[in-house]
Amino acid sequence: MTDPTQARDILTHARRLVIFTGAGVSADSGVPTFRGASADALWGKYDPYQLASPQGFAADPKLVYDWYNWRRSQLALIQPNPAHQAIAKLQSRGATIITQNVDGLHERVGPPGATILRLHGTIAADRCSICDHAEEIDLHHLPALRPCPRCGEYLRPAVVWFGESLDPDIWHAAESACRAADAMLIVGTSGEVYPAAGLVRLAASNRAKIVLVNLDPSPFDDMVDAALHGRAADIVPQLV
Ligand code: APR
């Protein structure tokens, strides 16, 4: 692993730090990632368009809803790992978290009330695609697929599916944070999904110093100031 000293210096001297995370930050907690060599990678085993698109839900709402309940039942048994804890420390010093994750693990250890910009929504809620009615989900008491109490349309997980737009307010807040950032810490993302991955280039073009922690080589390796390859739970605590 590259010497973490430079990475630690960048984070220590940052005044406007943005932390950009993906599924890899939760992998050490046992949450499967989506891509990559891991046998558990979800899109290696399941069809993303059948299970994570509005068309897939329209075609078979119960199949999709039950699959999310399966992921929720796993999350109910999972705990945040030392990478989440270390990131929460940076958050308590004023860092902004922008996450692609819907697993809620940052929220479990973050300072109470701290804003986390969730680009892809949350798995711990359902919403109606028609009337925007929303309901929180207790991961330990999972409801079945059911109609919206207001308009009768099926409620679906409050995540952003392929082909759907991100929440404009959250997106604009994320863009502003990256434009203003003097440093960015990237943890556990393949950088394959846009527009989220474009935030790294936005921060870089605004001269932010960038630290990357990822198990595998990433498309960002050549544009960051320090690239550390390995497990987030091992590396991130060393940087804080
Ligand atoms: N520590 C650090 N990095 C890890 C670890 C680990 N323990 N395990 C895996 N990784 C890295 C992998 O090398 C990979 O580059 O995390 C990355 C995970 O990539 P993806 O599975 O593609 O996850 P992500 O980038 O978050 O996906 C983006 O795609 O499917 C959609 O909406 C979903 O938010 C998700 C988006």
Side-chain angles (χ1 to χ4, degrees):
M1 181 178 83
T2 312
D3 175 9
T5 312
Q6 188 198 1
R8 206 179 295 128
D9 280 354
I10 291 171
L11 300 184
T12 308
H13 294 99
R15 291 290 158 269
R16 295 178 306 284
L17 175 64
V18 165
I19 305 171
F20 179 56
T21 67
V25 74
S26 298
D28 299 316
S29 294
V31 181
T33 59
F34 297 96
R35 299 168 191 83
S38 157
D40 290 340
L42 293 176
W43 302 148
K45 293 198 291 188
Y46 304 101
D47 175 355
Y49 296 97
Q50 184 188 30
L51 294 168
S53 77
Q55 297 81 358
F57 186 67
D60 193 338
K62 186 168 183 326
L63 176 79
V64 171
Y65 197 86
D66 289 352
W67 186 71
Y68 277 90
N69 268 357
W70 164 71
R71 290 175 59 190
R72 287 165 169 165
S73 63
Q74 289 192 318
L75 273 175
L77 308 172
I78 273 171
Q79 296 303 324
N81 66 61
H84 295 110
Q85 310 280 1
I87 288 169
K89 272 194 203 147
L90 292 170
Q91 207 187 350
S92 64
R93 296 177 198 162
T96 301
I97 297 186
I98 302 172
T99 189
Q100 299 169 86
N101 299 347
V102 297
D103 60 29
L105 296 182
H106 285 306
E107 290 84 344
R108 288 201 213 165
V109 289
T115 306
I116 292 177
L117 299 173
R118 295 189 294 219
L119 298 178
H120 297 157
T122 173
I123 205 170
D126 282 341
R127 70 175 176 83
C128 176
S129 299
I130 304 300
C131 72
D132 265 348
H133 170 77
E135 296 177 5
E136 295 222 349
I137 298 289
D138 175 348
L139 295 178
H140 300 278
H141 299 94
L142 296 173
L145 176 70
R146 61 209 180 288
C148 169
R150 267 205 273 168
C151 74
E153 184 73 19
Y154 277 130
L155 293 179
R156 36 79 55 99
V159 299
V160 177
W161 280 331
F162 290 101
E164 293 187 318
S165 311
L166 279 57
D167 177 304
D169 297 336
I170 295 174
W171 180 246
H172 291 136
E175 282 188 311
S176 310
C178 292
R179 280 202 191 89
D182 60 356
M184 174 183 260
L185 170 62
I186 308 167
V187 185
T189 180
S190 61
E192 289 193 23
V193 172
Y194 283 77
L199 293 171
V200 174
R201 200 167 290 285
L202 182 61
S205 64
N206 283 278
R207 297 191 214 297
K209 291 257 180 229
I210 306 187
V211 173
L212 170 84
V213 177
N214 209 58
L215 188 63
D216 302 305
S218 119
F220 303 129
D221 282 5
D222 301 337
M223 56 191 292
V224 302
D225 299 276
L228 306 165
H229 293 112
R231 295 195 165 281
D234 299 336
I235 298 175
V236 180
Q238 297 179 40
L239 305 182
V240 181

